Amino acid sequence: MTTETSPLARLLSAEPTIVTAGVELFETSLRDQGVAPVPVDWRPPAGAAADLARIAADPRTADANATALERITAAEPHWVGITTARDAVGIETGQFLHAGPPITWERASGPLRGALIGAMLYEGMADTPEQAIAIAERGELELAPCHSRAAVGPMAGVVSPSMPMFAVENGAFGNRAYCTLNEGLGKVLRYGAYGPEVIERLQWMQQVLAPAMDAAVGRLGSLDLRALIVQALQMGDELHNRNRAASALFVREVVPPLLEAGIDPSELADVVRFINGNEHFFLNLGMPAGKAAVDPARDLPGCTVVVAMARNGTDFGIQVSGTGDRWFTGPAQVPDGLFLGDYGPEDANPDIGDSTITETSGVGGFAMAAAPAIVRFVGGEVGDALTATRTMYDLALGEHPHYQIPILEFRGTPVGIDATRVVRTGIVPAVNTGIAGREAGVGQVGAGLVEPPMEAFVQAVAALAAS
Amino acid sequence: MADHLDVRRGVYHDSVSLLQVSRRVADVDGVDKALVAMATELNLDVLASMGFAVPDAGPNDLLVAIRTDDDAVLEAARAEVDAALAASQGTGSAGFGDAPPPRTVAAAVRAGDVDLALVSVPGEHAFVEAMDAVRAGVSVMVFSDNVPVEQEVALKTAAAEQGVLVMGPDAGTAIVSGVGLGFANVVRPGPVGIVAASGTGAQQLTCLLDDAGIGTSHVLGVGGRDLSAAVGGRSTQQAMAALDADPATEVVVVLSKPADPTVAAEVRRVAEHLDTPVVFALLGPDAPDLTAAAAEVATALGREAGEPAQWPAPTDRPGPYTELRGLFAGGTLRDEAMVIAAAALEAPVRSNIPLADDLALTDGLDTPGHVFVDLGEDEFTLGRPHPMIDQRLRLERLAAEAARPGGRVVLLDVVLGHGAHPDPAAELAPAIADAIASGEDLAVVVSLCGTVGDPQDRDRQAAALVEAGASVHLSNAAAARTAVQLAGGRA
């Protein structure tokens, strides 16, 4: 029996508000009756209808997705310390982590090879790039994705045992995620550069920057990254291609404890100048914050939520909660954007990096409306930034209760990418990214937007349907 | 080549804007290289790599570096820098317009305040969209056909848990609080709530009631399979309960196709426990026709149904004709007319959906003798719209019937209302007049399902059809009996 407040009683009590999907004639017929329908711009899906139907009928999916969304949005990521990669992610000499899905040296693109060469030089495994290449070609490198060790890495994302890493802990669930420290722009390891200045900078980061950061976080106890991201979104960052506000807020937090830590004044000045001069310094904290938030949503049977999107410069891969650690891949695309100096699209490497964890956790391209300053990366207008975020609501399970966008009346960012929605709508997640040079050693050549390959999502949906 | 380097102290533009400005300046004809950028360490390196001398400048200074041999080009390039920098300030008039339309029912219902989803996407995709609505606690009408029965069961099971209603799949007609969905007539509001497993059946019943001055509260379609053993009457029971609780509904009509006996018994048991009286109007060979059902509903309300509207042909045609040819657009109307004809005619009645296997068509639409075809079936609609929307097939068929030797009576249904052809008589009337004029001896009887409130105006449609020489009946059963009589059947 229905009651006065039941949806059926409401349906029969007054002129209904009607969503229409399909034949346009019926939409017109409603308008002719003076009823304004809510029309769906329906298109045939990019994948098999039978797979989508099987998932829609799966009794586990609705609850699993609700749980995933709840966990992701309940995350309380905090920066809690500095640790070495050896301790944090358990790698030894000769073992390296990299961005994206699994890959071999043979299939690795220029920037990833360059970063591996640099990491071997940095670790003292080789004295020259030639020696490093020889080691790699003999098959003596052990490679694994950052995502397989609770880590994320920007661009090439190469992590070697001696590198210091930010440790981020999700206060709500106790899980941790790790990321190296940001080296700045230009010729840097993560863009595949491995010249002497790159190695020297890495050594300085290990010997001076990391201890200083450790001292700062030790005095802070921990730093609430969610609170910082909330503020940065309201200051015009989207936390992937623009981290200017977040980096400035970070400096504001760490300078007082740095001053108290008794660090040598000239080293202290170098540290502050280094952080202050790099508007992407926060990216390497935002990324593990995203990783720490999304990881508790992994391995829920029947769950269609994307828990990783990552690129290794050759493949774009995704992982979905309901299918465990399996990667679904397609070719990484060359980003569309603006180029530095003389560089052009022909110099660009296909998409690379784990930084798409930002989009996976509800910021980055999904929060584009918060960062109208960067829409010009694709020659767009401010309205395009709003459209990008608004379109992503179609792919998302929900809206983030903390990450809000002022220009959308403080609406929460779209969060919880549903792989089935991607396939149903034919719309891939909006991804902002930096552009690495194709050749090893060149570094960054631009920044822009990139389209993930639909086939990765189609494969994931097929696997979910069979799970 | 000459290098020209300006440093504009304290002029700030963001790097993204400047990348665009650089590109515009580099594109000026005659410019070899150009860089417009803030003098950060990185950009000074880029400048050096382009072969320019590096000036003493810092991150708050704007670099404008242009390489060209031509003074006029330099002038043009500098003008371009200024224009591009000015343009990058923006006019504040960028489009902040509306959000893009939702691509899924899930996204559309998330906005809230949605009561119903009408899904008419191709059948293989309908389940996913309909499930979006049900999971969000929103009732759904699935117009789409070709939805597998196990998906129908899954959808209706989920709907029962959520306390919402699934109408369909293959639900052609609904009226919810006066709003017609799919194919529906404009009927007066009133006390009759209809649970319908047949769309055109519901249209006929509501039109007959409207003609008798009896209004309708709601028509809730449930789909033709709802009372099968597999589906178990899930939506019928849900709809009956909803209408029972609805204060506007004084009598509930369950308009059903032949049901699974166990399901039918369960539905009747549920009906007995409702506060609102329930009239069962069953379709099929052994059941009273819809016109009789309308009279029964009137009686249940303590009213008198009266004689349904009819418009006699201008010329009396006594018959008898040797063949009765039924060319229908509505499946239920054809079923009802065929049952009446089969009971009253001596010769066999053949059909594309025959009453018995040995009564199938022998030569398609040209099969001789008494024939009833449903032109809305897939075999005829491939590649063209349903005959309720597109009448071409029926027009062609009328001409073909007229060309056949011997006398015949043609029986047609014309369904009006929302979703139907905007003016069927405008096409049919000339075709009927032609057929009557050119045929050896031909009579036309029309079953006209519509109301005076319909956008096509029932009475105007009837007048045009009568003028063309047809006799017209609001009651499909009356139309069938008239045609049978003309074909020499028992009255």
Side-chain angles (χ1 to χ4, degrees), chain A residues 171-196:
Chain A
F173 297 90
N175 62 300
R176 286 192 172 199
Y178 303 93
C179 185
T180 53
L181 279 53
N182 196 289
E183 313 159 69
L185 286 171
K187 291 205 182 337
V188 287
L189 188 80
R190 71 177 189 281
Y191 280 97
Y194 53 79

Side-chain angles (χ1 to χ4, degrees), chain A residues 2 12 14 17-19 21 23 33 41-42 45 53 56 186 244 339 342 376-377 383 390 393-394 396 407 421 424-425, chain B residues 12 16-17 19 33 88 95-97 102-103 107 110 113 115-118 120 128-129 132 135 177 180 218 245 418:
Chain A
T2 53
L12 300 186
T17 302
I18 302 164
V19 165
V23 182
Q33 297 176 63
D41 184 16
W42 185 85
R244 182 171 295 200
F339 290 88
D342 274 350
R376 287 167 175 164
F377 273 125
R390 283 165 158 171
Y393 287 110
D394 264 5
I407 203 168
R421 298 273 185 85
R424 284 172 62 187
T425 59
Chain B
Y12 177 80
V16 182
S17 302
L19 287 169
K33 285 191 188 302
S88 83
F96 280 42
R103 294 285 194 101
R110 190 191 286 161
D113 289 338
D115 305 298
L116 184 67
L118 170 54
S120 56
V128 171
E129 300 298 330
D132 278 356
R135 292 227 200 270
S177 303
H218 311 279
H418 293 299

Side-chain angles (χ1 to χ4, degrees), chain A residues 418-436:
Chain A
D418 181 346
T420 66
R421 298 273 185 85
V422 174
V423 173
R424 284 172 62 187
T425 59
I427 299 171
V428 289
V431 170
N432 297 345
T433 191
I435 307 175

Side-chain angles (χ1 to χ4, degrees), chain B residues 400-412:
Chain B
E401 293 294 339
R404 286 167 61 82
R408 72 208 63 253
V409 52
V410 175
L411 175 59
L412 300 167

Side-chain angles (χ1 to χ4, degrees), chain B residues 38-124:
Chain B
M38 299 308 295
T40 60
E41 215 169 309
L42 171 68
N43 287 329
L44 290 172
D45 284 351
V46 170
L47 189 69
S49 75
M50 293 167 74
F52 284 88
V54 176
D56 175 22
N60 291 325
D61 304 328
L62 179 70
L63 297 173
V64 178
I66 299 167
R67 180 174 299 157
T68 180
D69 270 345
D70 186 327
D71 281 352
V73 169
L74 180 65
E75 212 46 50
R78 283 181 172 151
E80 189 63 31
V81 172
D82 293 335
L85 287 176
S88 83
Q89 301 286 2
T91 59
S93 63
F96 280 42
D98 294 334
R103 294 285 194 101
T104 60
V105 169
V109 300
R110 190 191 286 161
D113 289 338
V114 171
D115 305 298
L116 184 67
L118 170 54
V119 173
S120 56
V121 301
E124 59 174 331

Side-chain angles (χ1 to χ4, degrees), chain A residues 115-466:
Chain A
L116 286 167
I117 293 167
M120 283 186 267
L121 296 171
Y122 164 72
E123 292 290 339
M125 288 172 65
D127 293 328
T128 64
E130 293 70 28
Q131 286 177 8
I133 291 167
I135 292 172
E137 286 179 347
R138 288 200 298 273
E140 290 172 10
L141 299 184
E142 260 186 73
L143 302 179
C146 291
H147 268 292
S148 68
R149 303 289 179 95
V152 276
M155 303 312 285
V158 167
V159 180
S160 67
S162 308
M163 287 182 185
M165 298 185 90
F166 285 123
V168 171
E169 187 167 304
N170 180 347
F173 297 90
N175 62 300
R176 286 192 172 199
Y178 303 93
C179 185
T180 53
L181 279 53
N182 196 289
E183 313 159 69
L185 286 171
K187 291 205 182 337
V188 287
L189 188 80
R190 71 177 189 281
Y191 280 97
Y194 53 79
E197 74 276 23
V198 174
I199 310 304
E200 277 164 31
R201 189 188 304 113
L202 288 175
Q203 280 158 354
W204 175 81
M205 287 168 70
Q206 183 187 337
Q207 287 152 15
V208 178
L209 178 65
M213 288 291 100
D214 194 39
V217 73
R219 289 182 165 269
L220 288 170
S222 72
L223 180 63
D224 184 346
L225 298 176
R226 186 178 78 187
L228 213 146
I229 290 169
V230 166
Q231 294 176 65
L233 281 170
Q234 306 207 356
M235 293 166 75
D237 282 357
E238 43 69 90
L239 282 309
H240 188 169
N241 260 8
R242 185 177 152 104
N243 279 284
R244 182 171 295 200
S247 297
L249 291 170
F250 178 78
V251 170
R252 202 175 64 163
E253 296 289 344
V254 295
V255 164
L258 281 174
L259 291 174
E260 291 168 358
I263 300 168
D264 171 79
S266 76
E267 284 190 347
L268 179 62
D270 287 346
V271 164
V272 173
R273 196 176 293 117
F274 180 82
I275 303 171
N276 215 20
N278 175 4
E279 64 194 49
H280 282 293
F281 193 80
F282 186 79
L283 177 64
N284 293 39
L285 279 161
M287 285 175 55
K291 172 74 174 163
V294 174
D295 269 357
R298 284 180 173 263
D299 301 321
L300 298 168
C303 181
T304 62
V305 171
V306 174
V307 291
M309 294 196 290
R311 312 87 92 201
N312 57 31
T314 304
D315 314 306
F316 190 117
I318 66 167
Q319 291 178 312
V320 177
S321 174
T323 51
D325 292 336
R326 242 177 107 178
W327 286 95
F328 305 96
T329 62
Q333 307 295 307
V334 173
D336 176 19
L338 291 177
F339 290 88
L340 300 167
D342 274 350
Y343 295 120
E346 64 284 355
D347 301 311
N349 197 72
D351 196 19
I352 187 165
D354 285 334
S355 54
T356 25
I357 191 67
T358 54
E359 280 83 12
T360 314
S361 62
V363 291
F366 282 55
M368 192 70 162
I374 61 169
V375 293
R376 287 167 175 164
F377 273 125
V378 283
E381 295 174 348
V382 173
D384 298 340
L386 273 61
T387 301
T389 293
R390 283 165 158 171
T391 303
M392 290 306 107
Y393 287 110
D394 264 5
L395 309 186
L397 285 176
E399 299 176 11
H400 205 291
H402 303 287
Y403 298 164
Q404 297 174 341
I405 299 178
I407 203 168
L408 296 180
E409 300 292 352
F410 296 92
R411 190 175 179 185
T413 62
V415 64
I417 302 170
D418 181 346
T420 66
R421 298 273 185 85
V422 174
V423 173
R424 284 172 62 187
T425 59
I427 299 171
V428 289
V431 170
N432 297 345
T433 191
I435 307 175
R438 183 177 286 280
E439 299 299 326
V442 166
Q444 182 174 13
V445 297
L449 307 190
V450 72
E451 290 224 331
M454 177 57 80
E455 61 203 85
F457 295 90
V458 171
Q459 289 166 34
V461 163
L464 282 165

